Amino acid sequence: MKPQLAQQAKTVGDVAPGPFASFVRFVVCGGGIGVLSSGAVALLAGAMPWAVANAVITVASTVLCTELHALFTFGTGKRAGWRQHWQSAGSATAAYAVTSLAVLILHLVQSSPGMLTEQVVYLSASGLAGIGRFLVLRLFVFAGGRDGDQDRDRAFVRKAAAARRRVVPVPTRLPNRVLTPAAFAVGS
């Protein structure tokens, strides 16, 4: 089995995007969704606790971003699989912890910060967490643009189907001749 980083990417075009192009795409997709998410968190925080609003928006934006990253950022040419969604969710959970901790510290330092100050802290923490997420997604989740688990699953299903086709039915009545090991060989 080859390591994931050494595998060739499957892309819509001829070549998978390089690290710089992937990072630019990551910033455009993830950053755009992140900016929209920060506004949504601020709006929802008026109706529920800030941490709950952040969690709701984080889940929704993570699902959307994972799909965009699979199709566009890392050039896999296909939608994200369950494995990629779960791994991306793990990195998003870490980002959620970073943004929540940053805003919590802000509220400990300043009892009632303004919305602008809160947004600056939130977006700064999101930017730092985003760089970490990019590295995790590029090096592990979408490494080489392939979904190795799905490829292995398909290969297993093909092998199992081929094995079922080779099964020799056992006769219900034994012939009158002496059975040797060669009589049981496949194709005899």
Side-chain angles (χ1 to χ4, degrees):
M1 180 165 87
K2 290 196 259 182
Q4 285 186 340
L5 292 177
Q7 295 173 351
Q8 291 297 324
K10 292 180 184 175
T11 62
V12 175
D14 294 333
V15 181
F20 181 74
S22 289
F23 185 73
V24 169
R25 292 174 178 191
F26 180 83
V27 169
V28 169
C29 290
I33 298 295
V35 169
L36 292 174
S37 295
S38 71
V41 167
L43 290 173
L44 275 181
M48 60 184 70
W50 188 92
V52 175
N54 190 22
V56 168
I57 296 302
T58 299
V59 169
S61 64
T62 299
V63 170
L64 177 60
C65 281
T66 301
E67 290 296 329
L68 289 173
H69 293 324
L71 293 170
F72 180 68
T73 303
F74 300 107
T76 64
K78 57 186 175 183
R79 294 186 60 184
W82 281 109
R83 177 187 65 84
Q84 292 163 324
H85 275 288
W86 280 110
Q87 289 175 329
S88 181
S91 68
T93 300
Y96 168 76
V98 167
T99 56
S100 293
L101 184 62
V103 172
L104 176 68
I105 291 170
L106 171 66
H107 284 272
L108 290 174
V109 171
Q110 190 175 9
S111 61
S112 46
M115 186 181 221
L116 181 61
T117 304
E118 195 172 72
Q119 286 299 296
V120 167
V121 169
Y122 176 79
L123 290 174
S124 298
S126 292
L128 290 174
I131 291 170
R133 280 199 77 212
F134 172 78
L135 294 172
V136 168
L137 294 175
R138 172 123 179 122
L139 298 174
F140 300 104
V141 178
F142 297 106
R146 295 195 58 188
D147 187 354
D149 286 348
Q150 284 185 355
D151 291 343
R152 282 191 294 279
D153 290 347
R154 284 188 207 105
F156 176 77
V157 169
R158 280 193 306 271
K159 287 179 184 176
R164 282 193 303 272
R165 286 191 299 269
R166 286 190 294 249
V167 172
V168 177
V170 177
T172 56
R173 194 178 112 206
L174 294 175
N176 292 333
R177 63 186 172 137
V178 176
L179 297 177
T180 63
F184 291 102
V186 176
S188 312

PDB file of all heavy atoms in Angstrom, residues 55 58-67 69 80-97 133 136-137 141-142:
ATOM      1  N   ALA A  55     -21.697  26.775  17.659  1.00  0.00           N
ATOM      2  CA  ALA A  55     -21.737  25.342  17.338  1.00  0.00           C
ATOM      3  C   ALA A  55     -22.653  25.064  16.146  1.00  0.00           C
ATOM      4  O   ALA A  55     -22.295  24.314  15.233  1.00  0.00           O
ATOM      5  CB  ALA A  55     -22.191  24.544  18.556  1.00  0.00           C
ATOM      6  N   THR A  58     -21.040  26.421  13.019  1.00  0.00           N
ATOM      7  CA  THR A  58     -19.840  25.631  12.706  1.00  0.00           C
ATOM      8  C   THR A  58     -20.209  24.331  12.013  1.00  0.00           C
ATOM      9  O   THR A  58     -19.569  23.939  11.031  1.00  0.00           O
ATOM     10  CB  THR A  58     -19.015  25.365  13.983  1.00  0.00           C
ATOM     11  OG1 THR A  58     -18.595  26.617  14.524  1.00  0.00           O
ATOM     12  CG2 THR A  58     -17.797  24.512  13.686  1.00  0.00           C
ATOM     13  N   VAL A  59     -21.238  23.645  12.484  1.00  0.00           N
ATOM     14  CA  VAL A  59     -21.662  22.389  11.856  1.00  0.00           C
ATOM     15  C   VAL A  59     -22.109  22.634  10.418  1.00  0.00           C
ATOM     16  O   VAL A  59     -21.673  21.954   9.481  1.00  0.00           O
ATOM     17  CB  VAL A  59     -22.781  21.710  12.676  1.00  0.00           C
ATOM     18  CG1 VAL A  59     -23.415  20.566  11.903  1.00  0.00           C
ATOM     19  CG2 VAL A  59     -22.227  21.203  14.006  1.00  0.00           C
ATOM     20  N   ALA A  60     -22.978  23.611  10.229  1.00  0.00           N
ATOM     21  CA  ALA A  60     -23.492  23.896   8.884  1.00  0.00           C
ATOM     22  C   ALA A  60     -22.376  24.330   7.935  1.00  0.00           C
ATOM     23  O   ALA A  60     -22.287  23.855   6.794  1.00  0.00           O
ATOM     24  CB  ALA A  60     -24.564  24.974   8.962  1.00  0.00           C
ATOM     25  N   SER A  61     -21.494  25.205   8.409  1.00  0.00           N
ATOM     26  CA  SER A  61     -20.433  25.691   7.528  1.00  0.00           C
ATOM     27  C   SER A  61     -19.388  24.612   7.254  1.00  0.00           C
ATOM     28  O   SER A  61     -18.799  24.580   6.169  1.00  0.00           O
ATOM     29  CB  SER A  61     -19.774  26.939   8.117  1.00  0.00           C
ATOM     30  OG  SER A  61     -19.120  26.641   9.329  1.00  0.00           O
ATOM     31  N   THR A  62     -19.180  23.694   8.194  1.00  0.00           N
ATOM     32  CA  THR A  62     -18.215  22.610   7.976  1.00  0.00           C
ATOM     33  C   THR A  62     -18.680  21.668   6.882  1.00  0.00           C
ATOM     34  O   THR A  62     -17.897  21.267   6.019  1.00  0.00           O
ATOM     35  CB  THR A  62     -17.974  21.829   9.283  1.00  0.00           C
ATOM     36  OG1 THR A  62     -17.441  22.727  10.247  1.00  0.00           O
ATOM     37  CG2 THR A  62     -17.006  20.684   9.076  1.00  0.00           C
ATOM     38  N   VAL A  63     -19.952  21.306   6.896  1.00  0.00           N
ATOM     39  CA  VAL A  63     -20.494  20.421   5.855  1.00  0.00           C
ATOM     40  C   VAL A  63     -20.356  21.095   4.487  1.00  0.00           C
ATOM     41  O   VAL A  63     -19.883  20.481   3.516  1.00  0.00           O
ATOM     42  CB  VAL A  63     -21.964  20.052   6.143  1.00  0.00           C
ATOM     43  CG1 VAL A  63     -22.599  19.338   4.962  1.00  0.00           C
ATOM     44  CG2 VAL A  63     -22.041  19.186   7.398  1.00  0.00           C
ATOM     45  N   LEU A  64     -20.748  22.357   4.403  1.00  0.00           N
ATOM     46  CA  LEU A  64     -20.657  23.091   3.141  1.00  0.00           C
ATOM     47  C   LEU A  64     -19.201  23.225   2.683  1.00  0.00           C
ATOM     48  O   LEU A  64     -18.876  22.963   1.516  1.00  0.00           O
ATOM     49  CB  LEU A  64     -21.302  24.469   3.285  1.00  0.00           C
ATOM     50  CG  LEU A  64     -21.223  25.389   2.062  1.00  0.00           C
ATOM     51  CD1 LEU A  64     -21.902  24.749   0.858  1.00  0.00           C
ATOM     52  CD2 LEU A  64     -21.844  26.737   2.389  1.00  0.00           C
ATOM     53  N   CYS A  65     -18.316  23.609   3.592  1.00  0.00           N
ATOM     54  CA  CYS A  65     -16.904  23.790   3.226  1.00  0.00           C
ATOM     55  C   CYS A  65     -16.245  22.475   2.812  1.00  0.00           C
ATOM     56  O   CYS A  65     -15.431  22.458   1.886  1.00  0.00           O
ATOM     57  CB  CYS A  65     -16.126  24.412   4.376  1.00  0.00           C
ATOM     58  SG  CYS A  65     -16.357  26.187   4.505  1.00  0.00           S
ATOM     59  N   THR A  66     -16.577  21.374   3.467  1.00  0.00           N
ATOM     60  CA  THR A  66     -15.983  20.085   3.099  1.00  0.00           C
ATOM     61  C   THR A  66     -16.341  19.729   1.669  1.00  0.00           C
ATOM     62  O   THR A  66     -15.497  19.256   0.902  1.00  0.00           O
ATOM     63  CB  THR A  66     -16.437  18.980   4.075  1.00  0.00           C
ATOM     64  OG1 THR A  66     -16.036  19.339   5.398  1.00  0.00           O
ATOM     65  CG2 THR A  66     -15.810  17.642   3.717  1.00  0.00           C
ATOM     66  N   GLU A  67     -17.580  19.963   1.290  1.00  0.00           N
ATOM     67  CA  GLU A  67     -17.994  19.708  -0.098  1.00  0.00           C
ATOM     68  C   GLU A  67     -17.240  20.616  -1.070  1.00  0.00           C
ATOM     69  O   GLU A  67     -16.742  20.159  -2.102  1.00  0.00           O
ATOM     70  CB  GLU A  67     -19.507  19.892  -0.253  1.00  0.00           C
ATOM     71  CG  GLU A  67     -20.329  18.819   0.416  1.00  0.00           C
ATOM     72  CD  GLU A  67     -20.140  17.432  -0.173  1.00  0.00           C
ATOM     73  OE1 GLU A  67     -19.866  17.303  -1.387  1.00  0.00           O
ATOM     74  OE2 GLU A  67     -20.274  16.462   0.581  1.00  0.00           O
ATOM     75  N   HIS A  69     -14.341  22.072  -0.591  1.00  0.00           N
ATOM     76  CA  HIS A  69     -12.924  21.709  -0.611  1.00  0.00           C
ATOM     77  C   HIS A  69     -12.692  20.442  -1.430  1.00  0.00           C
ATOM     78  O   HIS A  69     -11.697  20.342  -2.150  1.00  0.00           O
ATOM     79  CB  HIS A  69     -12.385  21.530   0.801  1.00  0.00           C
ATOM     80  CG  HIS A  69     -12.337  22.804   1.590  1.00  0.00           C
ATOM     81  ND1 HIS A  69     -12.029  24.019   1.029  1.00  0.00           N
ATOM     82  CD2 HIS A  69     -12.566  23.047   2.897  1.00  0.00           C
ATOM     83  CE1 HIS A  69     -12.068  24.963   1.970  1.00  0.00           C
ATOM     84  NE2 HIS A  69     -12.396  24.393   3.113  1.00  0.00           N
ATOM     85  N   ALA A  80     -17.282  14.876  -1.325  1.00  0.00           N
ATOM     86  CA  ALA A  80     -16.607  14.295  -0.167  1.00  0.00           C
ATOM     87  C   ALA A  80     -17.359  13.064   0.323  1.00  0.00           C
ATOM     88  O   ALA A  80     -18.586  13.029   0.288  1.00  0.00           O
ATOM     89  CB  ALA A  80     -16.508  15.328   0.958  1.00  0.00           C
ATOM     90  N   GLY A  81     -16.607  12.067   0.770  1.00  0.00           N
ATOM     91  CA  GLY A  81     -17.205  10.864   1.350  1.00  0.00           C
ATOM     92  C   GLY A  81     -17.377  11.034   2.858  1.00  0.00           C
ATOM     93  O   GLY A  81     -16.979  12.043   3.442  1.00  0.00           O
ATOM     94  N   TRP A  82     -17.980  10.029   3.478  1.00  0.00           N
ATOM     95  CA  TRP A  82     -18.210  10.084   4.924  1.00  0.00           C
ATOM     96  C   TRP A  82     -16.911  10.231   5.695  1.00  0.00           C
ATOM     97  O   TRP A  82     -16.837  10.972   6.669  1.00  0.00           O
ATOM     98  CB  TRP A  82     -18.952   8.835   5.395  1.00  0.00           C
ATOM     99  CG  TRP A  82     -20.410   8.904   5.112  1.00  0.00           C
ATOM    100  CD1 TRP A  82     -21.094   8.181   4.173  1.00  0.00           C
ATOM    101  CD2 TRP A  82     -21.375   9.743   5.740  1.00  0.00           C
ATOM    102  NE1 TRP A  82     -22.418   8.539   4.183  1.00  0.00           N
ATOM    103  CE2 TRP A  82     -22.621   9.493   5.150  1.00  0.00           C
ATOM    104  CE3 TRP A  82     -21.304  10.691   6.758  1.00  0.00           C
ATOM    105  CZ2 TRP A  82     -23.776  10.144   5.527  1.00  0.00           C
ATOM    106  CZ3 TRP A  82     -22.459  11.335   7.145  1.00  0.00           C
ATOM    107  CH2 TRP A  82     -23.682  11.066   6.534  1.00  0.00           C
ATOM    108  N   ARG A  83     -15.871   9.503   5.279  1.00  0.00           N
ATOM    109  CA  ARG A  83     -14.585   9.583   5.976  1.00  0.00           C
ATOM    110  C   ARG A  83     -14.062  11.012   5.957  1.00  0.00           C
ATOM    111  O   ARG A  83     -13.614  11.544   6.976  1.00  0.00           O
ATOM    112  CB  ARG A  83     -13.561   8.644   5.321  1.00  0.00           C
ATOM    113  CG  ARG A  83     -12.167   8.736   5.956  1.00  0.00           C
ATOM    114  CD  ARG A  83     -11.133   7.928   5.173  1.00  0.00           C
ATOM    115  NE  ARG A  83     -10.904   8.432   3.846  1.00  0.00           N
ATOM    116  CZ  ARG A  83     -10.061   9.431   3.551  1.00  0.00           C
ATOM    117  NH1 ARG A  83      -9.386  10.032   4.493  1.00  0.00           N
ATOM    118  NH2 ARG A  83      -9.898   9.832   2.304  1.00  0.00           N
ATOM    119  N   GLN A  84     -14.142  11.656   4.820  1.00  0.00           N
ATOM    120  CA  GLN A  84     -13.657  13.025   4.704  1.00  0.00           C
ATOM    121  C   GLN A  84     -14.495  13.988   5.536  1.00  0.00           C
ATOM    122  O   GLN A  84     -13.965  14.914   6.140  1.00  0.00           O
ATOM    123  CB  GLN A  84     -13.615  13.432   3.235  1.00  0.00           C
ATOM    124  CG  GLN A  84     -12.555  12.654   2.481  1.00  0.00           C
ATOM    125  CD  GLN A  84     -12.740  12.704   0.987  1.00  0.00           C
ATOM    126  OE1 GLN A  84     -13.860  12.697   0.498  1.00  0.00           O
ATOM    127  NE2 GLN A  84     -11.638  12.721   0.264  1.00  0.00           N
ATOM    128  N   HIS A  85     -15.806  13.758   5.563  1.00  0.00           N
ATOM    129  CA  HIS A  85     -16.657  14.619   6.399  1.00  0.00           C
ATOM    130  C   HIS A  85     -16.306  14.461   7.877  1.00  0.00           C
ATOM    131  O   HIS A  85     -16.225  15.446   8.604  1.00  0.00           O
ATOM    132  CB  HIS A  85     -18.140  14.320   6.168  1.00  0.00           C
ATOM    133  CG  HIS A  85     -18.708  15.052   4.996  1.00  0.00           C
ATOM    134  ND1 HIS A  85     -18.944  16.408   5.005  1.00  0.00           N
ATOM    135  CD2 HIS A  85     -19.083  14.619   3.768  1.00  0.00           C
ATOM    136  CE1 HIS A  85     -19.449  16.782   3.838  1.00  0.00           C
ATOM    137  NE2 HIS A  85     -19.543  15.711   3.073  1.00  0.00           N
ATOM    138  N   TRP A  86     -16.087  13.231   8.330  1.00  0.00           N
ATOM    139  CA  TRP A  86     -15.746  13.015   9.736  1.00  0.00           C
ATOM    140  C   TRP A  86     -14.385  13.607  10.080  1.00  0.00           C
ATOM    141  O   TRP A  86     -14.200  14.200  11.146  1.00  0.00           O
ATOM    142  CB  TRP A  86     -15.790  11.522  10.095  1.00  0.00           C
ATOM    143  CG  TRP A  86     -17.186  11.056  10.336  1.00  0.00           C
ATOM    144  CD1 TRP A  86     -17.917  10.214   9.543  1.00  0.00           C
ATOM    145  CD2 TRP A  86     -18.051  11.410  11.416  1.00  0.00           C
ATOM    146  NE1 TRP A  86     -19.171  10.037  10.062  1.00  0.00           N
ATOM    147  CE2 TRP A  86     -19.283  10.762  11.221  1.00  0.00           C
ATOM    148  CE3 TRP A  86     -17.901  12.234  12.530  1.00  0.00           C
ATOM    149  CZ2 TRP A  86     -20.357  10.895  12.103  1.00  0.00           C
ATOM    150  CZ3 TRP A  86     -18.971  12.358  13.409  1.00  0.00           C
ATOM    151  CH2 TRP A  86     -20.174  11.694  13.194  1.00  0.00           C
ATOM    152  N   GLN A  87     -13.409  13.437   9.198  1.00  0.00           N
ATOM    153  CA  GLN A  87     -12.085  13.998   9.465  1.00  0.00           C
ATOM    154  C   GLN A  87     -12.130  15.530   9.435  1.00  0.00           C
ATOM    155  O   GLN A  87     -11.496  16.186  10.264  1.00  0.00           O
ATOM    156  CB  GLN A  87     -11.069  13.472   8.456  1.00  0.00           C
ATOM    157  CG  GLN A  87     -10.743  12.017   8.677  1.00  0.00           C
ATOM    158  CD  GLN A  87      -9.828  11.461   7.607  1.00  0.00           C
ATOM    159  OE1 GLN A  87      -9.858  11.885   6.457  1.00  0.00           O
ATOM    160  NE2 GLN A  87      -9.015  10.488   7.977  1.00  0.00           N
ATOM    161  N   SER A  88     -12.874  16.069   8.515  1.00  0.00           N
ATOM    162  CA  SER A  88     -13.024  17.514   8.455  1.00  0.00           C
ATOM    163  C   SER A  88     -13.752  18.024   9.700  1.00  0.00           C
ATOM    164  O   SER A  88     -13.408  19.081  10.243  1.00  0.00           O
ATOM    165  CB  SER A  88     -13.796  17.907   7.192  1.00  0.00           C
ATOM    166  OG  SER A  88     -13.933  19.301   7.103  1.00  0.00           O
ATOM    167  N   ALA A  89     -14.720  17.260  10.166  1.00  0.00           N
ATOM    168  CA  ALA A  89     -15.436  17.633  11.390  1.00  0.00           C
ATOM    169  C   ALA A  89     -14.489  17.658  12.591  1.00  0.00           C
ATOM    170  O   ALA A  89     -14.621  18.507  13.476  1.00  0.00           O
ATOM    171  CB  ALA A  89     -16.590  16.674  11.646  1.00  0.00           C
ATOM    172  N   GLY A  90     -13.532  16.740  12.610  1.00  0.00           N
ATOM    173  CA  GLY A  90     -12.550  16.735  13.694  1.00  0.00           C
ATOM    174  C   GLY A  90     -11.717  18.006  13.694  1.00  0.00           C
ATOM    175  O   GLY A  90     -11.489  18.621  14.753  1.00  0.00           O
ATOM    176  N   SER A  91     -11.277  18.431  12.521  1.00  0.00           N
ATOM    177  CA  SER A  91     -10.489  19.664  12.456  1.00  0.00           C
ATOM    178  C   SER A  91     -11.369  20.885  12.739  1.00  0.00           C
ATOM    179  O   SER A  91     -10.916  21.863  13.330  1.00  0.00           O
ATOM    180  CB  SER A  91      -9.784  19.789  11.100  1.00  0.00           C
ATOM    181  OG  SER A  91     -10.710  19.997  10.056  1.00  0.00           O
ATOM    182  N   ALA A  92     -12.639  20.813  12.358  1.00  0.00           N
ATOM    183  CA  ALA A  92     -13.554  21.915  12.655  1.00  0.00           C
ATOM    184  C   ALA A  92     -13.848  21.994  14.156  1.00  0.00           C
ATOM    185  O   ALA A  92     -14.036  23.086  14.692  1.00  0.00           O
ATOM    186  CB  ALA A  92     -14.853  21.758  11.869  1.00  0.00           C
ATOM    187  N   THR A  93     -13.866  20.844  14.814  1.00  0.00           N
ATOM    188  CA  THR A  93     -14.075  20.840  16.266  1.00  0.00           C
ATOM    189  C   THR A  93     -12.923  21.558  16.964  1.00  0.00           C
ATOM    190  O   THR A  93     -13.139  22.338  17.904  1.00  0.00           O
ATOM    191  CB  THR A  93     -14.208  19.395  16.788  1.00  0.00           C
ATOM    192  OG1 THR A  93     -15.328  18.788  16.136  1.00  0.00           O
ATOM    193  CG2 THR A  93     -14.401  19.349  18.284  1.00  0.00           C
ATOM    194  N   ALA A  94     -11.724  21.314  16.483  1.00  0.00           N
ATOM    195  CA  ALA A  94     -10.567  22.025  17.041  1.00  0.00           C
ATOM    196  C   ALA A  94     -10.686  23.524  16.766  1.00  0.00           C
ATOM    197  O   ALA A  94     -10.403  24.355  17.642  1.00  0.00           O
ATOM    198  CB  ALA A  94      -9.274  21.469  16.458  1.00  0.00           C
ATOM    199  N   ALA A  95     -11.127  23.894  15.573  1.00  0.00           N
ATOM    200  CA  ALA A  95     -11.311  25.311  15.238  1.00  0.00           C
ATOM    201  C   ALA A  95     -12.408  25.924  16.109  1.00  0.00           C
ATOM    202  O   ALA A  95     -12.284  27.067  16.567  1.00  0.00           O
ATOM    203  CB  ALA A  95     -11.660  25.468  13.762  1.00  0.00           C
ATOM    204  N   TYR A  96     -13.469  25.177  16.352  1.00  0.00           N
ATOM    205  CA  TYR A  96     -14.541  25.649  17.239  1.00  0.00           C
ATOM    206  C   TYR A  96     -13.994  25.921  18.635  1.00  0.00           C
ATOM    207  O   TYR A  96     -14.313  26.945  19.245  1.00  0.00           O
ATOM    208  CB  TYR A  96     -15.666  24.603  17.290  1.00  0.00           C
ATOM    209  CG  TYR A  96     -16.672  24.861  18.379  1.00  0.00           C
ATOM    210  CD1 TYR A  96     -17.629  25.859  18.236  1.00  0.00           C
ATOM    211  CD2 TYR A  96     -16.672  24.117  19.549  1.00  0.00           C
ATOM    212  CE1 TYR A  96     -18.552  26.103  19.241  1.00  0.00           C
ATOM    213  CE2 TYR A  96     -17.586  24.350  20.551  1.00  0.00           C
ATOM    214  CZ  TYR A  96     -18.534  25.340  20.394  1.00  0.00           C
ATOM    215  OH  TYR A  96     -19.430  25.573  21.395  1.00  0.00           O
ATOM    216  N   ALA A  97     -13.165  25.013  19.129  1.00  0.00           N
ATOM    217  CA  ALA A  97     -12.573  25.202  20.462  1.00  0.00           C
ATOM    218  C   ALA A  97     -11.703  26.460  20.500  1.00  0.00           C
ATOM    219  O   ALA A  97     -11.749  27.230  21.466  1.00  0.00           O
ATOM    220  CB  ALA A  97     -11.766  23.973  20.857  1.00  0.00           C
ATOM    221  N   ARG A 133      -6.352  24.077   9.896  1.00  0.00           N
ATOM    222  CA  ARG A 133      -7.281  23.214   9.147  1.00  0.00           C
ATOM    223  C   ARG A 133      -6.774  22.958   7.737  1.00  0.00           C
ATOM    224  O   ARG A 133      -6.879  21.844   7.230  1.00  0.00           O
ATOM    225  CB  ARG A 133      -8.662  23.857   9.064  1.00  0.00           C
ATOM    226  CG  ARG A 133      -9.471  23.686  10.316  1.00  0.00           C
ATOM    227  CD  ARG A 133     -10.937  23.909  10.080  1.00  0.00           C
ATOM    228  NE  ARG A 133     -11.476  22.725   9.419  1.00  0.00           N
ATOM    229  CZ  ARG A 133     -12.468  22.745   8.546  1.00  0.00           C
ATOM    230  NH1 ARG A 133     -13.050  23.862   8.216  1.00  0.00           N
ATOM    231  NH2 ARG A 133     -12.895  21.630   7.991  1.00  0.00           N
ATOM    232  N   VAL A 136      -4.165  20.268   7.852  1.00  0.00           N
ATOM    233  CA  VAL A 136      -4.763  18.951   8.127  1.00  0.00           C
ATOM    234  C   VAL A 136      -5.501  18.429   6.895  1.00  0.00           C
ATOM    235  O   VAL A 136      -5.333  17.265   6.497  1.00  0.00           O
ATOM    236  CB  VAL A 136      -5.712  19.027   9.348  1.00  0.00           C
ATOM    237  CG1 VAL A 136      -6.566  17.775   9.472  1.00  0.00           C
ATOM    238  CG2 VAL A 136      -4.914  19.239  10.627  1.00  0.00           C
ATOM    239  N   LEU A 137      -6.307  19.277   6.272  1.00  0.00           N
ATOM    240  CA  LEU A 137      -7.069  18.845   5.099  1.00  0.00           C
ATOM    241  C   LEU A 137      -6.154  18.488   3.929  1.00  0.00           C
ATOM    242  O   LEU A 137      -6.354  17.486   3.255  1.00  0.00           O
ATOM    243  CB  LEU A 137      -8.071  19.926   4.683  1.00  0.00           C
ATOM    244  CG  LEU A 137      -9.198  20.214   5.671  1.00  0.00           C
ATOM    245  CD1 LEU A 137     -10.052  21.388   5.181  1.00  0.00           C
ATOM    246  CD2 LEU A 137     -10.055  19.001   5.914  1.00  0.00           C
ATOM    247  N   VAL A 141      -6.647  14.673   5.012  1.00  0.00           N
ATOM    248  CA  VAL A 141      -8.010  14.387   4.585  1.00  0.00           C
ATOM    249  C   VAL A 141      -8.121  14.255   3.062  1.00  0.00           C
ATOM    250  O   VAL A 141      -8.690  13.299   2.560  1.00  0.00           O
ATOM    251  CB  VAL A 141      -8.992  15.460   5.115  1.00  0.00           C
ATOM    252  CG1 VAL A 141     -10.412  15.191   4.643  1.00  0.00           C
ATOM    253  CG2 VAL A 141      -8.940  15.517   6.642  1.00  0.00           C
ATOM    254  N   PHE A 142      -7.577  15.213   2.329  1.00  0.00           N
ATOM    255  CA  PHE A 142      -7.643  15.185   0.868  1.00  0.00           C
ATOM    256  C   PHE A 142      -6.267  14.955   0.257  1.00  0.00           C
ATOM    257  O   PHE A 142      -5.983  15.430  -0.839  1.00  0.00           O
ATOM    258  CB  PHE A 142      -8.245  16.492   0.333  1.00  0.00           C
ATOM    259  CG  PHE A 142      -9.659  16.717   0.774  1.00  0.00           C
ATOM    260  CD1 PHE A 142      -9.959  17.661   1.740  1.00  0.00           C
ATOM    261  CD2 PHE A 142     -10.691  15.973   0.238  1.00  0.00           C
ATOM    262  CE1 PHE A 142     -11.256  17.879   2.158  1.00  0.00           C
ATOM    263  CE2 PHE A 142     -12.000  16.176   0.656  1.00  0.00           C
ATOM    264  CZ  PHE A 142     -12.279  17.130   1.619  1.00  0.00           C
TER     265      PHE A 142
END
